[in-house]
Amino acid sequence: MVNTGLLSGSKSVKITFQLPYFTHWGQSLLVCGSVSVLGSWNVKKGVLLTPIHQGAELIWSGSITVPKGFQCQYQYYVVDDNRNVLRSEMGKRRELALPEGIQSGQEIEFRDLWQTGSDGIPFRSAFRDVIFRQSWDPSKEAAAIEANNSKFELEAESIVILFRINCPSIEKDTSICVIGSHEKLGKWKPENGLKLRYCGKSIYCKYGGAGNVSIENGLNREVSISSSRSEAKYICLSDSMMRETPWRGAGVAIPMFSVRSECDLGVGEFLDLKLLVDWAVASGFHLVQLLPINDTSVHRMWWDSYPYSSLSVFALHPLYLRVQALSKNIPKEIKEEIEKAKQQLDLKDVDYEATMAAKLSIAKKIFDLEKDVILNSSSFKEFFAENEGWLKPYAAFCFLRDFFETSDRTQWGCFAHYSEDKLEKLVSKESLHYEIICFQYYIQYHLHLQLSEAAEYARKRRVVLKGDLPIGVDRNSVDTWVYPNLFRMNTSTGAPPDYFDKNGQNWGFPTYNWEEMSKDNYGWWRARLTQMAKYFTAYRIDHILGFFRIWELPDHAATGLVGKFRPSIPLSQEELEREGIWDFNRLSRPYIRQGLLQQKFGAAWAFVATTFLNEYEKNCYEFKEDCNTEKKVVSKLKSCAESSLLLESEDKLRRTLFDLLQNIVLIQDPEDPRKFYPRFNLEDTSSFKDLDDKSKNVLKRLYYDYYFHRQENLWRENALKTLPVLLNSSDMLACGEDLGLIPSCVHPVMQELGLVGLRIQRMPNEPGLEFGIPSQYSYMTVCAPSCHDCSTLRAWWEEDEDRRLRYFKNVVESDELPPDRCTPEVAHFVIRQHVEAPSMLAIFPLQDLLALKEEYTTRPATEETINDPTNPKHYWRYRVHATLESLNKDTELKTIIKDLVRWGGRSFPPDETEVSSSSASGSNSDKERLASAMEKISLPSK
């Protein structure tokens, strides 16, 4: 508990809370806290504040009477007339303690400012424990300051004012002082100002020991005291953050599996992160971003290379284990096996299956040799005690998956349904397979040790390790087995048509049962974030739009087109009937007429009609029962292909049959037949085109209302229920991937909660723009030229000549012909735009950074793409063709990158081994080319 340390009293003291805040009609402000007089965190019993206009501000205030020695925590809330919470403050709960010496009957006034999400960002672990990491203890230096300033009082007056301000980035040998127009505040002279002591947070205007002064930005702050009040009073003035130039930094993004080192076994490993951190520091980067690293071993084949389909949201992936680090006493024959595997797996791309097989085989042999020592060690016992809640179900699931040779728990007999009793039998020390269970414990223990070592190394080097929080879990996962009530298992998650895929995406994950999750205040999510924070100090929320609304598909869908948003307000049958829409059977069933079949299949239309369709009226068709869903079509096509019955390619026939299935205007709710949802892009269907003009106009209007208007308040409220729980579950810095079809409520909510957004230049949020303008990005963003879900900068530049011409004309502002290849000069221009952007972070895929130097561009650009969102069975296997050791030796590349970071005015971590640019060894050819290029390709002066 923070103690303000001024003065103490006896009996009762009056506390007044005061806060400036503009509300809307029907809204009020309320203070609630940890003690009964403030409602004991029951907002319904909190203290309502009363508004009063003071100049241009609306000031809310309220008072309580408390005894001597009173302490509590509190927060402010915006509520409606029924005291339902509409908005709450973000960040840590406020601490309150009465000043020492306050007398009975006196009053203390707490003048606060509303805490937004962005106010708390400097206190997230990414900044507090890494970027602003201090090698000195400010509390010790504060003791010396306090000796001279502990009794500051305005003795000639009846008011004592306590100034409080947050300054997390204060440097050693630096003090904080308040200066102002009053003589007690030095009359604007820093040397005569009020020096403030450290009390858990730091304060106001800085000056160094050598007399250098740095004044905060912005207008002067004001404090006024009513002359009509005569009683003695104490004012605690909380002035929020010190107004300094916003911190800006840069980082590198690369999947863990894509990293290559001289020590790895066919894939990047957690301990390789130490080398990556070294390279990042030398290149001027404060951040390393990874894709998800949880275990995805659902199928035990290369399909598991998909890092967003978690087998467990808690377990780490055995793929990233360094087997050489499992023991200091590895026998010679196992060392030889490791060396042989290293040579065999040193391939251009990851061989997922071979790498997993080799690592698990070698790890099992080492486990057999040292299991008794490790499993009985105090370190392992501590790890097990902290993690057994998820570790035991995970180990049991892995055993059952391997025993039954499937992760489909419906095939597991009596173990299909999870229970604690069944779990205890599965992991019992008396069971015949207990050693198999322990092997899973052993693997997770060593993964934890190795990632923890890398994470601590990153923190010490002032590098933020940024993880990735997937939006879904595999439907055959530990989590859906243990907590089936938290998921809607008859549905599938995806995304509507967007930049990534014009037919939408179907990720195959079950959607969440948010109502059930809310019953324990989203405990499953809170546990996920707590586990993640053991290793990371920042994280990316995958598809943050899913916390506003998710694109939900029936589990029988194979594509992502015919879905609906959940939650959403549907079109009711009554609403449609009022608008003159009544033929629901016609609008919600596939609209298939003979002319359409002839148009799509030509001479083969009769075969298609006979094989897949029934004619229910003359020239009107419907799908047969065995192929009336997308998954049934896939199954029937497969059996037809095996029987050699198909007259054309299976792939082409499947796409055309899907078109027929998707030829609807309205989607009927499977749980309530009187509710309907407009099919995405309904105007593209022949079903819509064959309607009369009146019906077309009505449906177009309802379509735009459904997708762009009626849901906004619902989606905003949904996000404000779930996202604050995530953000308050850990101290990590949260960044949201807000790409795709963005509802208008998303960015205001992200701003309110202090969530950092994402900006990709080729996917601008602004309507009418083909290319984003980095110089106009807001501070609360991460900017990047590309990401793992799209082609790299080189591939993007080279794949479309017309687009390349438009970019050169509109962004580079040049009428000359652009180069066909993405030369280092082009890469330099694009990257420079991003480092100079106002965004908090500029994060670059490693492939885009390697494009800065000619020698790294020999590999075809298309081979550097990590993911193809249009292919649900994409093989995630890209590996960087240069080792981390070689990149760390390339002083020239590191210098080029660090110079860009410097030119962009971004912060970079200290590097004891840094070689100055002027003395860097190596050829100057790239620098000369870049200097020449800058004369030809300069940034536009907008």
Side-chain angles (χ1 to χ4, degrees):
M1 184 71 68
V2 174
N3 195 312
T4 51
L6 284 180
L7 294 166
S8 111
S10 58
K11 299 185 180 179
S12 63
V13 174
K14 182 181 180 182
I15 293 178
T16 298
F17 299 96
Q18 190 178 102
L19 184 86
Y21 192 94
F22 281 102
T23 55
H24 296 292
W25 183 259
Q27 296 180 348
S28 298
L29 242 66
L30 175 149
V31 61
C32 186
S34 58
V35 292
S36 58
V37 71
L38 290 176
S40 299
W41 295 122
N42 182 346
V43 176
K44 300 282 188 183
K45 298 180 180 179
V47 176
L48 274 175
L49 305 183
T50 302
I52 185 171
H53 284 280
Q54 289 185 6
E57 291 187 316
L58 184 65
I59 307 295
W60 293 82
S61 64
S63 302
I64 58 173
T65 302
V66 299
K68 173 185 175 181
F70 179 79
Q71 294 182 341
C72 74
Q73 293 180 318
Y74 69 100
Q75 266 187 318
Y76 294 100
Y77 299 83
V78 178
V79 297
D80 63 17
D81 292 336
N82 296 317
R83 296 201 178 196
N84 297 311
V85 176
L86 303 176
R87 189 176 301 114
S88 59
E89 289 190 293
M90 295 299 296
K92 299 283 187 184
R93 289 171 170 172
R94 300 172 184 268
E95 305 278 356
L96 184 155
L98 289 181
E100 297 174 5
I102 192 169
Q103 300 299 310
S104 175
Q106 290 183 328
E107 178 180 345
I108 179 167
E109 188 175 279
F110 287 88
R111 297 188 181 180
D112 294 323
L113 296 174
W114 181 271
Q115 292 180 168
T116 65
S118 57
D119 289 336
I121 280 181
F123 301 97
R124 293 287 178 179
S125 56
F127 288 98
R128 184 194 64 225
D129 300 336
V130 183
I131 295 168
F132 299 152
R133 184 179 179 124
Q134 296 167 339
S135 58
W136 58 288
D137 185 351
S139 61
K140 292 181 180 178
E141 303 209 1
I145 298 173
E146 185 175 0
N148 296 320
N149 296 280
S150 60
K151 293 188 177 180
F152 168 75
E153 298 177 38
L154 301 181
E155 296 176 356
E157 304 178 28
S158 60
I159 305 296
V160 175
I161 301 176
L162 175 67
F163 294 89
R164 298 186 59 168
I165 196 164
N166 298 325
C167 184
S169 58
I170 185 170
E171 300 169 359
K172 190 174 183 180
D173 299 323
T174 300
S175 299
I176 307 296
C177 73
V178 182
I179 60 174
S181 57
H182 195 279
E183 63 180 10
K184 293 286 185 178
L185 298 178
K187 289 189 177 267
W188 297 115
K189 294 181 180 179
E191 63 271 20
N192 296 329
L194 171 65
K195 190 180 291 186
L196 301 176
R197 64 184 181 84
Y198 179 83
C199 62
K201 298 178 180 66
S202 302
I203 315 174
Y204 211 36
C205 156
K206 282 193 294 201
Y207 65 98
N212 297 321
V213 177
S214 173
I215 306 294
E216 68 171 352
N217 300 324
L219 298 173
N220 293 331
R221 302 173 188 263
E222 295 184 2
V223 57
S224 60
I225 300 167
S226 173
S227 58
S228 63
R229 303 289 297 271
S230 58
E231 69 268 25
K233 180 187 262 189
Y234 300 83
I235 297 176
C236 182
L237 195 65
S238 296
D239 268 332
S240 187
M241 295 295 300
M242 183 160 174
R243 301 187 301 237
E244 299 179 285
T245 301
W247 181 94
R248 293 160 61 246
V252 58
I254 189 70
M256 191 72 259
F257 59 79
S258 298
V259 169
R260 187 187 296 269
S261 77
E262 294 173 3
C263 294
D264 70 48
L265 221 67
V267 71
E269 298 166 348
F270 287 147
L271 290 176
D272 289 327
L273 289 172
K274 297 168 75 174
L275 285 173
L276 183 57
V277 164
D278 288 341
W279 182 83
V281 170
S283 301
F285 291 142
H286 259 301
L287 181 143
V288 168
Q289 177 172 315
L290 304 175
L291 293 189
I293 55 172
N294 293 111
D295 192 358
T296 58
S297 306
V298 175
H299 307 284
R300 298 184 303 167
M301 59 177 293
W302 68 263
W303 288 359
D304 298 334
S305 66
Y306 180 30
Y308 288 89
S309 187
S310 305
L311 175 80
S312 165
V313 298
F314 300 102
L316 299 171
H317 206 310
L319 186 69
Y320 306 127
L321 182 71
R322 175 156 297 168
V323 293
Q324 303 96 307
L326 291 177
S327 174
K328 296 179 180 178
N329 303 305
I330 299 177
K332 180 181 178 181
E333 61 272 18
I334 297 181
K335 288 182 178 179
E336 291 173 350
E337 184 179 351
I338 293 172
E339 285 303 312
K340 183 179 178 181
K342 280 177 62 177
Q343 295 173 18
Q344 292 174 339
L345 296 171
D346 188 20
L347 307 171
K348 183 179 73 171
D349 296 309
V350 176
D351 186 334
Y352 182 90
E353 294 172 26
T355 301
M356 279 291 288
K359 290 198 172 195
L360 292 177
S361 173
I362 293 168
K364 182 63 168 64
K365 292 174 182 177
I366 299 173
F367 168 76
D368 289 340
L369 294 173
E370 63 169 24
K371 59 190 175 188
D372 292 336
V373 174
I374 294 297
L375 298 179
N376 289 302
S377 67
S378 58
S379 175
F380 172 81
K381 289 178 179 178
E382 181 181 352
F383 165 78
F384 185 82
E386 289 179 358
N387 297 277
E388 64 176 316
W390 65 264
L391 188 58
K392 287 160 69 172
Y394 166 77
F397 186 99
C398 291
F399 166 73
L400 292 169
R401 172 201 62 196
D402 296 345
F403 181 82
F404 289 103
E405 298 184 338
T406 179
S407 292
D408 181 359
R409 61 182 178 275
T410 64
Q411 309 299 311
W412 291 355
C414 66
F415 295 109
H417 300 287
Y418 173 87
S419 73
E420 290 292 331
D421 289 342
K422 293 174 186 176
L423 174 66
E424 291 307 318
K425 290 177 182 177
L426 284 167
V427 300
S428 168
K429 293 182 179 180
E430 284 70 43
S431 66
L432 296 175
H433 56 265
Y434 183 63
E435 188 172 300
I436 299 174
I437 296 291
C438 286
F439 179 60
Q440 300 296 338
Y441 297 162
Y442 172 84
I443 293 293
Q444 288 300 313
Y445 168 65
H446 277 286
L447 286 165
H448 164 73
L449 292 180
Q450 293 180 16
L451 182 54
S452 297
E453 180 181 333
E456 180 57 28
Y457 185 80
R459 281 191 286 270
K460 286 181 178 178
R461 299 225 62 189
R462 308 272 289 275
V463 172
V464 172
L465 205 56
K466 182 181 177 185
D468 198 323
L469 184 75
I471 186 61
V473 300
D474 198 281
R475 65 177 58 252
N476 293 317
S477 66
V478 182
D479 300 279
T480 58
W481 181 50
V482 177
Y483 308 107
N485 58 316
L486 300 184
F487 304 90
R488 290 170 53 82
M489 296 300 294
N490 62 338
T491 66
S492 187
T493 305
D498 57 16
Y499 175 92
F500 296 111
D501 192 334
K502 299 197 182 325
N503 292 312
Q505 299 175 59
N506 186 338
W507 302 322
F509 314 135
T511 57
Y512 294 119
N513 185 344
W514 290 111
E515 293 80 9
E516 191 67 27
M517 287 181 161
S518 69
K519 291 179 180 177
D520 67 349
N521 195 28
Y522 309 96
W524 181 77
W525 284 102
R526 289 185 286 110
R528 285 185 74 178
L529 271 295
T530 300
Q531 183 73 9
M532 199 174 183
K534 293 178 180 178
Y535 313 110
F536 298 103
T537 50
Y539 66 106
R540 168 189 177 272
I541 303 176
D542 174 45
H543 193 64
I544 196 171
L545 304 183
F547 292 91
F548 292 79
R549 82 292 185 272
I550 199 71
W551 188 244
E552 186 176 76
L553 302 147
D555 61 351
H556 56 69
T559 69
L561 186 59
V562 186
K564 61 182 176 64
F565 285 124
R566 184 177 185 88
S568 66
I569 303 168
L571 307 176
S572 69
Q573 183 170 320
E574 293 76 13
E575 179 182 9
L576 289 162
E577 288 173 345
R578 284 197 302 269
E579 297 281 1
I581 304 297
W582 56 270
D583 194 350
F584 303 108
N585 195 45
R586 149 78 172 83
L587 296 172
S588 61
R589 292 173 61 189
Y591 181 72
I592 308 171
R593 300 296 182 262
Q594 183 173 312
L596 181 63
L597 294 176
Q598 291 170 334
Q599 173 191 332
K600 286 186 172 292
F601 298 101
W605 81 269
F607 164 78
V608 171
T610 302
T611 308
F612 298 96
L613 305 169
N614 291 322
E615 187 176 13
Y616 65 92
E617 287 180 9
K618 185 174 177 58
N619 297 331
C620 297
Y621 295 83
E622 64 182 2
F623 277 91
K624 293 181 177 180
E625 180 66 27
D626 65 349
C627 55
N628 61 358
T629 70
E630 290 176 353
K631 286 187 176 178
K632 287 181 180 180
V633 166
V634 171
S635 178
K636 185 158 186 174
L637 283 173
K638 185 176 180 181
S639 63
C640 288
E642 291 171 352
S643 306
S644 303
L645 296 176
L646 300 183
L647 302 179
E648 53 183 298
S649 80
E650 181 181 348
D651 186 58
K652 181 181 178 183
L653 190 55
R654 182 183 70 251
R655 289 198 305 270
T656 313
L657 289 170
F658 280 2
D659 285 345
L660 293 181
L661 278 169
Q662 296 162 356
N663 191 26
I664 59 175
V665 175
L666 296 176
I667 300 169
Q668 192 169 37
D669 193 317
E671 298 171 7
D672 187 343
R674 298 183 65 83
K675 294 178 180 178
F676 298 87
Y677 307 87
R679 185 259 208 207
F680 201 89
N681 289 340
L682 57 78
E683 293 181 56
D684 294 341
T685 67
S686 64
S687 178
F688 178 86
K689 292 173 183 176
D690 282 358
L691 292 170
D692 61 89
D693 288 343
K694 180 183 177 183
S695 296
K696 286 180 183 178
N697 290 332
V698 168
L699 288 166
K700 279 195 290 187
R701 176 165 47 81
L702 292 174
Y703 173 90
Y704 283 100
D705 180 59
Y706 175 84
Y707 281 103
F708 302 109
H709 296 292
R710 71 164 64 188
Q711 317 296 347
E712 293 295 327
N713 286 334
L714 174 65
W715 291 344
R716 181 183 184 280
E717 291 171 4
N718 198 53
L720 288 175
K721 288 177 186 175
T722 55
L723 285 172
V725 176
L726 264 70
L727 299 178
N728 293 329
S729 297
S730 78
D731 282 339
M732 293 184 289
L733 174 68
C735 305
E737 182 259 294
D738 52 341
L739 303 176
L741 185 68
I742 311 292
S744 59
C745 65
V746 169
H747 291 149
V749 168
M750 291 182 66
Q751 183 177 5
E752 180 177 336
L753 299 182
L755 278 158
V756 183
L758 177 62
R759 300 292 176 267
I760 306 292
Q761 187 173 29
R762 69 186 75 170
M763 294 177 255
N765 286 327
E766 302 82 1
L769 274 184
E770 183 178 13
F771 311 110
I773 305 172
S775 63
Q776 296 181 7
Y777 293 160
S778 69
Y779 174 69
M780 290 291 290
T781 56
V782 171
C783 66
S786 69
C787 66
H788 67 273
D789 274 332
C790 59
S791 55
T792 61
L793 174 57
R794 278 207 305 140
W796 178 80
W797 183 267
E798 296 167 11
E799 67 193 6
D800 189 327
E801 180 181 1
D802 291 338
R803 183 179 60 203
R804 189 164 62 236
L805 285 166
R806 293 193 300 273
Y807 185 91
F808 218 64
K809 180 178 182 179
N810 298 326
V811 180
V812 182
E813 296 185 338
S814 171
D815 292 325
E816 298 182 12
L817 285 176
D820 295 338
R821 293 177 57 256
C822 181
T823 63
E825 293 82 12
V826 170
H828 192 281
F829 172 81
V830 175
I831 290 172
R832 183 183 165 195
Q833 285 185 91
H834 289 78
V835 294
E836 293 186 351
S839 303
M840 178 193 296
L841 287 162
I843 300 178
F844 304 96
L846 182 57
Q847 306 96 298
D848 292 351
L849 295 167
L850 295 181
L852 287 166
K853 197 170 180 186
E854 192 73 43
E855 71 178 76
Y856 296 111
T857 63
T858 55
R859 186 173 182 175
T862 53
E863 294 182 2
E864 293 185 331
T865 298
I866 293 167
N867 177 37
D868 175 7
T870 65
N871 179 8
K873 291 300 180 185
H874 176 73
Y875 195 167
W876 299 59
R877 63 186 315 198
Y878 166 71
R879 293 195 78 191
V880 179
H881 52 290
T883 66
L884 288 172
E885 289 84 354
S886 66
L887 290 176
N888 271 303
K889 292 175 184 176
D890 191 340
T891 304
E892 188 172 13
L893 176 64
K894 292 186 293 185
T895 301
I896 291 170
I897 297 171
K898 194 162 189 176
D899 282 347
L900 278 164
V901 175
R902 280 195 180 102
W903 294 341
R906 293 186 177 271
S907 170
F908 49 86
D911 181 10
E912 301 88 3
T913 63
E914 180 183 9
V915 179
S916 66
S917 300
S918 59
S919 62
S921 60
S923 167
N924 286 323
S925 57
D926 279 319
K927 298 176 189 174
E928 291 166 0
R929 282 199 299 273
L930 289 171
S932 173
M934 293 305 293
E935 296 176 4
K936 301 174 185 176
I937 310 176
S938 59
L939 283 169
S941 57
K942 1 178 127 167

